[in-house]
Amino acid sequence: MESIPRPDAGVFDRFRTIGSVGEAAGFGERLARCGFSAVRRFLEEFRDYLKQYTDDETPEAEALLDLARIALPEPGTVSPSWERIWDEYQSIIAYKSTVYSRIPVREREGEWQVLIDNPFTRQQIVVYPGLTFAEAAYLFAYFRSGLARNEHIRLQKIVTLVSDTGSG
């Protein structure tokens, strides 16, 4: 029986070559037998993929998530922190797709930032500046999926910027 690849071989890369539901189930069984570290590595590599895929790869991302749900139908049995990981990844794909559909390719160059604010609390605004469009699209999708009541999230392109660094 085939084993899960070594860490340097890319567990998720191997997963991307799966061509059937049966292969996905077998892959998941082997992965689960390898334990927490192997599953964590797989999920981290999947998250890295979610950060990097482009809008024309959205159908592949959705198909891979469907196969992952078959491979590891209950990742929460390996770690309770992964109880809803597939729902989280589904939300990321959906919100990232929304961002891609709303911002034309010709407008994606340059510096972007993501801001999160709840005007009804005393918490400070959270800002993620200096991002590429791909990084900003992922962060928007990631934080949008867990947005609390009254929180606002903004994805914005920096058109004019003055920046300086203190000396001392």
Side-chain angles (χ1 to χ4, degrees), residues 109-130:
E109 288 297 318
E111 183 177 330
W112 292 79
Q113 66 183 14
V114 174
L115 293 91
I116 305 167
D117 182 26
N118 185 336
F120 300 105
T121 68
R122 291 180 178 245
Q123 294 175 332
Q124 295 180 351
I125 295 173
V126 178
V127 181
Y128 295 88

Side-chain angles (χ1 to χ4, degrees), residues 54-88:
T54 61
D55 46 353
D56 57 332
E57 296 169 311
T58 299
E60 178 188 19
E62 292 170 338
L64 288 169
L65 181 60
D66 289 343
L67 281 177
R69 287 181 191 266
I70 292 165
L72 288 171
E74 296 181 25
T77 59
V78 178
S79 173
S81 64
W82 299 327
E83 188 72 36
R84 300 188 41 81
I85 195 76
W86 300 140
D87 294 337
E88 176 188 334

